[in-house]
């Protein structure tokens, strides 16, 4: 039995029934409050959904008025629910092609992505795009829900054809961990409970898979070398909370941030980058408590033995395991802005808590979603996925994304208006 927190995202083309699937998942796992259910029931009756007797489960997730009017999901909606075995954070991502960027946003921290496919349509271009995002973001687990299986009379042959198509695309992309599940979100087949209508399917329903998949990031973050990007330097001097002794904090100086990977103990030697100064940890604080050890994902303050020149953007790492500082890299870019990316563009790269100037020196290519090949390109347009050479004005301790998701990801920002232009991941050539 496990009690871990599991993050997953959903993605699918328009009308694949994604919102209905999420609603079914929440309803059948008993994660809906009574008043919320009553409101959705009334709304379904007023709209005449299913002849007035059935409940439109999509209304549980499409909270925005524009979403309900158009019958599509526009923005990423996060839902929190729990079963006896695990707690979940669900990122319900839009399916329309113009909102692919929202799917990227929802998948960056996901342990798994559920990609929906309408069994009657099979793999579409948008499906290929979603699978490419899953691969490039190195999401640990892929679940493919082949939906509306009830509309083909639970025909195994049709499902197996779609399954072969999905597995072929996933194989071309190099995705190994794939579960393909026949579901009917509307009828509830194989979502939370195994269906009697698909006796030819011997796999687990979606929720059971979600309850048992490994949380890869926890393993990765624990085994990886210690890293803490400095968020701020805490030196309260006279500005203390009521009840604290000013004399005890007169010389207090600590470096606060979230542990990005690994762990650190009091007494461990660390190096502060980019200064390269080696020192030791003399104390670990969180709120008003002192800790002996801090691990990945904890937000803490570190006290160091020496007066180190460090500020927001500095990175404290395990001594002897300092990453190489990178000034030029090859990156995969998920272009999210209506303005195209052209070679020579000057941008900002935000990495952890630091932001540096950069230039896109050249565009290596754009991924052709029909063939999944990287083809030469002179520009990237919105929702394109491409590869580029990027030069940084100041070196950063980047790792290849394949080695560590968090240490190998960054955001590209417009230098003038601050708009988010792209999500980027570091290709192996940069390591």
């Amino acid at each position: 039995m496990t009690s871990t927190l599991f993050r997953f995202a959903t993605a699918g083309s328009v009308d694949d029934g994604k919102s209905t699937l999420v609603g079914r998942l929440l309803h059948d796992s008993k994660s809906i409050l009574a008043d919320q259910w009553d409101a959705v029931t009334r709304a379904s009756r007023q709209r005449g959904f299913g002849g007035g007797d059935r409940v439109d489960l999509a209304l549980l997730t499409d909270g925005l008025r524009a979403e309900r009017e158009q019958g599509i999901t526009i923005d990423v909606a996060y839902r929190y629910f729990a079963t006896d075995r695990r707690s979940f954070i669900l990122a319900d991502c839009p399916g329309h092609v113009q909102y692919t960027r929202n799917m990227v946003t929802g998948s960056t921290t996901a342990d798994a992505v559920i990609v929906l496919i309408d069994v009657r349509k099979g793999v579409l271009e948008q499906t290929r795009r979603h699978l490419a995002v899953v691969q490039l973001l190195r999401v640990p687990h892929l679940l493919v829900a082949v939906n509306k299986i009830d509309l083909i009379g639970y025909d195994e042959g049709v499902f197996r054809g779609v399954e072969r198509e999905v597995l072929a695309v996933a194989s071309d992309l190099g995705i190994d961990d794939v579960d393909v599940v026949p579901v009917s979100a509307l009828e509830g087949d194989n979502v939370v409970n195994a269906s009697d209508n698909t006796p030819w399917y011997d796999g687990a329903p979606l929720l059971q898979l979600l309850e048992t998949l490994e949380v890869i990031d926890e393993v990765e973050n624990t085994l990886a070398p210690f890293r803490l990007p400095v968020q701020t330097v805490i030196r309260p001097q006279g500005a203390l909370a009521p009840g604290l002794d000013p004399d005890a904090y007169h010389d207090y100086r600590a470096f606060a941030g979230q542990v990005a990977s690994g762990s650190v103990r009091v007494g461990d030697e660390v190096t502060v980058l980019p200064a390269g100064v080696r020192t030791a940890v003399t104390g670990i604080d969180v709120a008003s408590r002192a800790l002996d050890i801090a691990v990945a994902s904890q937000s803490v303050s570190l006290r160091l033995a020496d007066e180190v020149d460090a500020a927001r953007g500095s990175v404290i790492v395990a001594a002897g395991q300092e990453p190489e500082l990178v000034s030029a890299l090859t990156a995969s870019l998920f272009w999210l802005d209506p303005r195209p990316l052209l070679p020579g563009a000057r941008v900002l790269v935000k990495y952890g808590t630091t932001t540096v100037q950069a230039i896109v020196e050249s565009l290596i290519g754009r991924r052709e979603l029909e063939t999944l090949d990287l083809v030469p390109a002179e520009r990237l347009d919105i929702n394109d996925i491409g590869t580029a050479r990027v030069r940084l004005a100041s070196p950063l301790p980047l790792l290849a994304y394949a080695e560590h998701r968090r240490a190998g990801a960054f955001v590209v920002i417009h230098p003038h208006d601050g708009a988010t232009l792209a999500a980027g991941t570091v290709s192996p050539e940069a390591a």
Side-chain angles (χ1 to χ4, degrees), residues 31-106:
S31 303
I32 305 298
L33 298 175
D35 58 345
Q36 189 181 10
W37 181 249
D38 290 342
V40 170
T41 302
R42 285 196 303 273
S44 299
R45 192 178 301 120
Q46 291 167 0
R47 292 165 183 262
F49 180 81
D53 297 329
R54 307 179 79 171
V55 176
D56 185 358
L57 294 170
L59 297 179
L60 289 167
T61 57
D62 288 340
L64 300 176
R65 175 180 293 181
E67 291 178 331
R68 293 190 175 190
E69 290 176 347
Q70 299 180 61
I72 64 172
T73 303
I74 294 175
D75 203 355
V76 179
Y78 290 92
R79 297 288 183 272
Y80 305 87
F81 70 101
T83 66
D84 292 338
R85 306 186 69 180
R86 178 170 269 177
S87 299
F88 298 96
I89 296 178
L90 186 166
D92 183 21
C93 305
H96 197 282
V97 64
Q98 77 183 87
Y99 300 121
T100 301
R101 54 188 167 184
N102 304 52
M103 188 259 179
V104 174
T105 302

Side-chain angles (χ1 to χ4, degrees), residues 172-245:
D172 289 343
L173 286 166
I175 303 174
D176 299 323
D177 191 345
V178 188
D179 288 284
V180 186
V181 184
V183 305
S184 169
L186 189 63
E187 302 297 338
D189 296 293
N190 295 323
V191 178
V192 171
N193 302 306
S195 172
D196 294 333
N197 295 316
T198 56
W200 38 264
Y201 173 70
D202 58 2
L206 281 177
L207 183 61
Q208 186 176 330
L209 290 170
L210 293 169
E211 288 179 326
T212 53
L213 290 173
E214 187 178 25
V215 183
I216 299 294
D217 273 1
E218 286 189 355
V219 178
E220 185 179 63
N221 287 337
T222 302
L223 298 177
F226 167 70
R227 277 184 168 214
L228 182 141
V230 176
Q231 184 78 25
T232 187
V233 180
I234 298 177
R235 193 156 186 235
Q237 297 177 308
L240 291 171
L244 294 179
D245 180 7

Side-chain angles (χ1 to χ4, degrees), residues 135-138 227 324 326-334 349-351 386-390 392 396-412 423-431:
Q135 188 274 331
L136 291 170
L137 288 177
R138 211 165 64 85
R227 277 184 168 214
E324 181 182 354
V326 174
S327 296
L329 64 144
T330 301
S332 294
L333 298 178
F334 305 81
V349 167
K350 179 172 175 53
Y351 176 71
T387 303
R389 288 288 298 172
V390 180
L392 308 173
L396 295 173
L398 291 159
L399 292 178
Y401 191 73
E403 294 181 28
H404 197 279
R405 293 175 72 190
R406 192 162 183 172
F410 58 88
V411 175
V412 181
T425 61
V426 182
S427 299
E429 295 82 25

Side-chain angles (χ1 to χ4, degrees), residues 126-204:
Q126 184 69 339
T127 310
R128 293 174 180 271
R129 184 179 280 109
H130 288 153
L131 295 179
V133 169
V134 169
Q135 188 274 331
L136 291 170
L137 288 177
R138 211 165 64 85
V139 179
H141 307 289
L142 170 63
L143 305 178
V144 178
V146 181
N147 193 23
K148 304 187 182 182
I149 196 79
D150 56 308
L151 297 184
I152 60 165
Y154 302 94
D155 188 308
E156 181 184 7
V158 178
F159 167 76
R160 295 299 180 194
V162 176
E163 181 184 46
R164 285 193 294 272
E165 195 178 5
V166 171
L167 293 176
V169 176
S171 177
D172 289 343
L173 286 166
I175 303 174
D176 299 323
D177 191 345
V178 188
D179 288 284
V180 186
V181 184
V183 305
S184 169
L186 189 63
E187 302 297 338
D189 296 293
N190 295 323
V191 178
V192 171
N193 302 306
S195 172
D196 294 333
N197 295 316
T198 56
W200 38 264
Y201 173 70
D202 58 2

